[in-house]
Amino acid sequence: MKLYQTLEKQIKKEPNYVSDNGEIKKWVVLNKAQNFDEELIGLLLEDSDLKEKFFIKVKDVWVFKQNLFIQFLEQKNYLNDSYTQFKNKVGLTIDGKHLKQRNEVSLVWPFKDCVLEGGQSREEDKREEIFFNEVLAQDEITELLDPKVLTNAKRFDKDGEHHFDQFNRDENGTITDNLIIKGNNLLALHSLKKEFAGKVKLIYIDPPYNTGNDSFQYNDRFNHSSWLTFMKNRLDIAKSLLTDDGSILVQADWNEIHYLKVLLDSVFNRENFRNEIIWAYHGPGSPKMKQYNRKHDNILWYSKSTSDWIFNGDDVRMSSEVHVGGFNNEMNANVSSEYTDRGKIPEDWWEMGRDKEEFVEEMSNLYDEYERIKNKNWWKMAVAARIRIDGKKRSGYLTEKPYKLIERFIKAHTNKNDIILDFFAGSGTTGFVSNYLERQFILVEQLENTHEIIKDRFKGINYTYLELKKYNQTFIEKIEGAKDEKILLQIWEEMKAKSFLNYNVDIQKQEQHIEDFKTLSLQEQKQHLCELLDKNQLYVNLSSLKDENFACTPEEQKVTQAFYQLKP
């Protein structure tokens, strides 16, 4: 036990080996040991007990016993309370208490204690997501979720694209720039935490609905579990970004809304559930349907606090909501004389607050535009529409998130200059409306084609564009795009030279069995090469900013240090 304590004390002398909560990042240390890192070896040699245990003297040269050191770190009782974690794994305790000591319901599903990386490089990709088991590899997940290095920074305004110079900050030191970030949204949220924890007033997200037409095409046994894990990972970190009087709105349809409600109760606490908002959209149902039409989405509203939240009711309440009888319709004009005033109220049509004439005009324009380009890729071209915001016509884009719906949410739950976050940004509607309403926005999106749409759509809007710096993610994208075995073998050669492989990969054995590799199907070959990569290094961690192995440019160091407020 003394040796354990000695090693832990010595390792903690290097800040890059220690997490924010003071625990050793065992995965970082293992990676350094695998690569015979001089800094780590120097730390070990400084202590006589560690020197004696993990080194052997050969002709006056101290040789590092790499395998022994790695085995020592991997012992299940070192830096890891395995029994407590096992109890958590099987659901016996929550927050250190046995279930019989608690009154609330515990959510239990396969992979609940895992992290679902859930990234995509192209919209049409249906990649198998990568799981990291929190119980078996707690330290690996800690490393995965470290803040990332930023790259390709650009500033945009009415005059177009400019070289990044600096971030604008308020008197409290908080960034006031609108931000658009490209990269995995889970890792981007963890990167935003240091700068924006407790500062975001409203989070609105419209995540994948798990309908079978999105990226969650799993085996039926794991479908709901995978989606819930994916959402839980992101909601946990999102909560920490909200102000004490902040709110989150999560949109979903009938496929997952009831599972999502229970999950949100768990993350944000059931007493912080404020309302379920129904967005009804119109359209004819099929005459062959054997059920009621599904013509609405659900938006769940949770506040962060039980007693304090923003709701600017007078700014967003529709005229029909202050009269007996609910929403108006065309029959209002024919009501009896005792309700004459009610009959004069404008109709609340379709997208909340839109009158019938506006609706008919917009649908006509959309139909004409669709007919014109129906044989082309409408998503990449982003169909132009006539949209009204605050009574003014704005050019916009066809989107499943109606402008008036988002406008109403933003007015209800924020005030001018408040920060609004959407980490499933899509074509950027949340940011677009936020800008017109004079709010600060942060958008996160990973898909390349949607960023092309956002860039075109946001012409004239001031914002700073950032990307998470890729490393092993680049190899994964190359593997996914490979058309044949020959290309995969070329990628493997590049991986051996430049990538970070999983620490337990034996390159010699891989080479010895290369003929067996060739007998696999193309999909199996891709899966195997992806499994060889160290998933902690998909993107470059902040702790590796000045590590020569990651070759961060002066520009990348400048924007990263500016964002995290680090000294050069």
Side-chain angles (χ1 to χ4, degrees):
M1 183 59 68
K2 179 183 178 182
L3 189 62
Y4 294 156
Q5 296 170 346
T6 301
L7 177 58
E8 186 172 358
K9 181 179 179 180
Q10 191 69 8
I11 288 176
K12 285 186 174 181
K13 290 182 178 180
E14 172 49 54
N16 287 335
Y17 299 164
V18 184
S19 66
D20 291 339
N21 59 8
E23 296 179 353
I24 289 178
K25 300 177 182 178
K26 191 168 71 174
W27 188 254
V28 173
V29 179
L30 283 170
N31 184 268
K32 297 288 186 181
Q34 181 193 11
N35 291 283
F36 292 96
D37 182 78
E38 293 181 5
E39 183 181 67
L40 174 63
I41 292 175
L43 276 175
L44 299 177
L45 287 170
E46 287 176 2
D47 184 272
S48 58
D49 291 335
L50 299 177
K51 185 177 181 180
E52 180 180 351
K53 176 68 176 180
F54 298 117
F55 294 84
I56 184 173
K57 192 172 185 180
V58 180
K59 294 184 178 180
D60 296 325
V61 176
W62 289 99
V63 179
F64 181 40
K65 297 180 182 178
Q66 181 196 55
N67 290 338
L68 177 63
F69 181 76
I70 290 175
Q71 290 172 6
F72 184 80
L73 281 183
E74 289 179 329
Q75 290 184 58
K76 63 182 179 181
N77 61 338
Y78 176 62
L79 303 179
N80 180 17
D81 186 346
S82 57
Y83 179 64
T84 299
Q85 292 196 6
F86 173 74
K87 290 194 296 183
N88 288 332
K89 178 181 179 181
V90 298
L92 291 177
T93 64
I94 306 174
D95 297 333
K97 293 183 179 180
H98 290 281
L99 291 179
K100 65 182 180 181
Q101 296 176 277
R102 306 176 66 101
N103 296 321
E104 63 267 38
V105 175
S106 171
L107 293 180
V108 178
W109 66 82
F111 308 121
K112 176 176 181 285
D113 294 320
C114 300
V115 169
L116 180 55
E117 182 249 330
Q120 283 182 276
S121 55
R122 296 181 298 278
E123 185 183 16
E124 64 270 21
D125 283 344
K126 305 297 182 186
R127 61 181 280 197
E128 288 191 25
E129 307 301 354
I130 301 162
F131 288 85
F132 298 92
N133 191 297
E134 188 169 325
V135 175
L136 298 179
Q138 172 72 41
D139 44 326
E140 297 177 22
I141 295 174
T142 301
E143 175 73 1
L144 172 72
L145 301 179
D146 275 359
K148 306 305 177 190
V149 170
L150 302 172
T151 186
N152 201 22
K154 301 172 185 176
R155 187 179 294 281
F156 291 84
D157 59 22
K158 61 182 178 60
D159 298 318
E161 180 180 322
H162 305 280
H163 179 75
F164 173 82
D165 48 3
Q166 63 181 14
F167 291 104
N168 297 303
R169 296 180 180 271
D170 62 18
E171 63 276 8
N172 298 316
T174 302
I175 291 174
T176 57
D177 301 276
N178 294 319
L179 300 178
I180 298 179
I181 302 173
K182 181 181 178 184
N184 180 288
N185 61 2
L186 176 64
L187 308 187
L189 287 172
H190 281 273
S191 297
L192 286 167
K193 182 177 179 179
K194 186 174 182 179
E195 174 65 22
F196 290 101
K199 298 179 181 179
V200 174
K201 193 70 70 174
L202 173 66
I203 297 173
Y204 168 82
I205 54 173
D206 186 14
Y209 283 1
N210 198 17
T211 61
N213 296 318
D214 52 39
S215 59
F216 289 94
Q217 294 190 349
Y218 296 94
N219 181 295
D220 288 342
R221 288 187 302 158
F222 303 112
N223 193 287
H224 292 302
S225 175
S226 300
W227 190 83
L228 286 169
T229 302
F230 174 88
M231 291 303 301
K232 182 180 185 297
N233 298 153
R234 286 148 181 80
L235 292 170
D236 281 337
I237 181 63
K239 181 181 179 181
S240 70
L241 298 176
L242 284 174
T243 59
D244 289 339
D245 61 350
S247 293
I248 184 170
L249 297 166
V250 186
Q251 185 163 336
D253 72 353
W254 62 273
N255 285 282
E256 293 290 356
I257 190 63
H258 304 98
Y259 296 89
L260 182 62
K261 171 66 168 64
V262 180
L263 174 61
L264 284 163
D265 282 347
S266 174
V267 175
F268 285 89
N269 297 326
R270 188 174 183 180
E271 59 267 30
N272 290 334
F273 173 61
R274 305 268 72 86
N275 211 337
E276 179 181 14
I277 303 154
I278 305 300
W279 170 48
Y281 48 88
H282 292 188
S286 169
K288 297 182 179 179
M289 286 184 66
K290 296 183 178 180
Q291 60 187 17
Y292 297 108
N293 286 334
R294 296 181 179 127
K295 293 297 178 184
H296 73 276
D297 277 357
N298 308 64
I299 299 99
L300 300 177
W301 168 26
Y302 284 76
S303 61
K304 186 174 182 179
S305 166
T306 306
S307 58
D308 188 20
W309 61 86
I310 292 176
F311 185 71
N312 301 316
D314 291 340
D315 293 340
V316 298
R317 188 173 289 113
M318 295 183 294
S319 54
S320 61
E321 291 183 282
V322 297
H323 293 268
V324 176
F327 286 82
N328 291 303
N329 54 46
E330 292 178 271
M331 294 182 65
N332 290 152
N334 300 319
V335 297
S336 61
S337 59
E338 65 179 300
Y339 293 109
T340 301
D341 290 338
R342 185 176 170 217
K344 295 179 180 178
I345 298 170
E347 296 175 51
D348 296 309
W349 193 270
W350 198 49
E351 280 186 10
M352 294 189 249
R354 173 179 296 175
D355 61 35
K356 183 177 180 180
E357 287 70 27
E358 289 179 316
F359 171 76
V360 172
E361 176 189 9
E362 181 173 321
M363 290 301 99
S364 177
N365 289 330
L366 280 174
Y367 181 79
D368 291 342
E369 187 70 8
Y370 170 74
E371 284 293 306
R372 186 176 70 80
I373 65 166
K374 64 182 179 181
N375 294 322
K376 300 180 182 179
N377 190 329
W378 65 271
W379 177 247
K380 289 185 178 178
M381 293 190 65
V383 180
R386 291 159 62 113
I387 305 294
R388 288 178 182 266
I389 299 178
D390 286 344
K392 300 178 182 179
K393 287 186 177 181
R394 308 287 189 189
S395 60
Y397 288 79
L398 185 62
T399 172
E400 292 184 357
K401 299 178 184 178
Y403 281 57
K404 280 290 182 180
L405 180 68
I406 307 302
E407 177 189 10
R408 195 176 190 212
F409 289 153
I410 291 173
K411 285 183 174 180
H413 301 291
T414 67
N415 298 308
K416 287 186 178 180
N417 301 317
D418 282 342
I419 300 175
I420 298 166
L421 168 64
D422 184 348
F423 50 90
F424 290 96
S427 59
T429 303
T430 302
F432 192 74
V433 179
S434 297
N435 181 68
Y436 280 120
L437 298 179
E438 299 180 60
R439 272 71 164 175
Q440 180 183 347
F441 63 80
I442 302 174
L443 304 181
V444 181
E445 177 57 50
Q446 185 166 2
L447 301 181
E448 179 64 37
N449 61 340
T450 51
H451 275 282
E452 293 175 5
I453 293 172
I454 291 174
K455 183 177 179 181
D456 179 66
R457 183 182 194 181
F458 280 50
K459 288 179 179 177
I461 295 178
N462 293 341
Y463 66 92
T464 297
Y465 173 84
L466 303 167
E467 295 179 8
L468 304 185
K469 182 176 173 63
K470 299 175 184 176
Y471 201 83
N472 276 357
Q473 178 68 24
T474 302
F475 291 99
I476 286 182
E477 292 173 10
K478 288 181 178 181
I479 292 168
E480 288 175 340
K483 302 298 184 183
D484 54 45
E485 178 188 287
K486 181 179 179 181
I487 296 175
L488 286 177
L489 290 174
Q490 292 173 352
I491 295 172
W492 167 238
E493 291 299 318
E494 188 178 359
M495 285 170 58
K496 288 191 295 183
K498 298 181 180 179
S499 75
F500 282 87
L501 301 176
N502 192 305
Y503 74 93
N504 58 10
V505 171
D506 189 324
I507 294 179
Q508 290 184 344
K509 287 185 178 180
Q510 171 73 8
E511 292 295 282
Q512 290 170 4
H513 297 284
I514 198 68
E515 293 303 317
D516 294 329
F517 174 81
K518 293 178 181 179
T519 64
L520 302 175
S521 68
L522 183 65
Q523 186 59 38
E524 289 171 334
Q525 290 176 345
K526 289 184 177 184
Q527 179 179 345
H528 178 67
L529 289 184
C530 285
E531 289 175 353
L532 297 181
L533 290 164
D534 177 3
K535 304 309 183 303
N536 277 285
Q537 307 298 344
L538 293 177
Y539 294 86
V540 180
N541 291 324
L542 176 61
S543 58
S544 301
L545 180 62
K546 295 187 178 181
D547 188 327
E548 295 181 357
N549 292 315
F550 294 95
C552 295
T553 67
E555 291 77 14
E556 290 167 344
Q557 293 189 33
K558 175 184 175 182
V559 67
T560 302
Q561 289 167 342
F563 184 83
Y564 296 110
Q565 299 191 73
L566 303 175
K567 294 181 179 179

